[in-house]
């Protein structure tokens, strides 16, 4: 088993959090955009789950499974990019 690059791991998680914070900011009205409500990355994750459910017409359980799989896939590719940069 290969060792995990800790720097790439941490940076990829931070970039994922920042990406979902930006997603949350873009969906908020202007008066809430730069508050904790607007910067909360969980709102971005909920937006991803809403999008999956809206376009695929899935049940709640399947929506969460697809959302978690997409989150893992995005993080995994970010980790691969940063691992390649620092390796």
């Amino acid at each position: 088993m290969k060792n995990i690059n800790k720097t790439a791991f941490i940076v990829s998680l931070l970039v994922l959090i920042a990406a979902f914070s930006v997603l949350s900011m873009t969906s908020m009205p202007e008066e809430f955009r730069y508050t904790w409500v607007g910067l909360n990355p969980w709102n971005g994750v909920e937006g991803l789950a809403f999008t999956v459910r809206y376009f695929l017409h899935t049940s709640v359980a399947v929506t969460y499974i697809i959302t978690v799989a997409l989150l893992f896939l995005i993080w995994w590719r970010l980790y691969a990019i940063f691992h390649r940069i620092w390796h």
Side-chain angles (χ1 to χ4, degrees):
M1 184 173 176
K2 296 182 180 181
N3 293 335
I4 293 177
N5 186 346
K6 292 176 184 159
T7 306
F9 180 80
I10 292 170
V11 170
S12 64
L13 284 177
L14 291 175
V15 168
L16 186 68
I17 290 169
F20 280 102
S21 290
V22 169
L23 180 66
S24 174
M25 282 176 54
T26 59
S27 66
M28 288 289 159
E30 190 172 333
E31 56 270 6
F32 294 113
R33 193 164 289 159
Y34 298 105
T35 63
W36 172 245
V37 174
L39 293 172
N40 188 356
W42 186 250
N43 291 336
V45 174
E46 287 178 341
L48 178 65
F50 173 77
T51 304
V52 167
R53 185 167 181 154
Y54 182 79
F55 285 109
L56 298 180
H57 306 290
T58 57
S59 67
V60 174
V62 174
T63 299
Y64 286 129
I65 290 170
I66 293 172
T67 302
V68 168
L70 284 172
L71 284 171
F72 179 72
L73 181 67
I74 293 168
W75 169 79
W76 177 49
R77 296 316 305 159
L78 284 170
Y79 173 77
I81 290 168
F82 290 121
H83 180 70
R84 182 172 285 201
I85 290 172
W86 285 309
H87 194 288

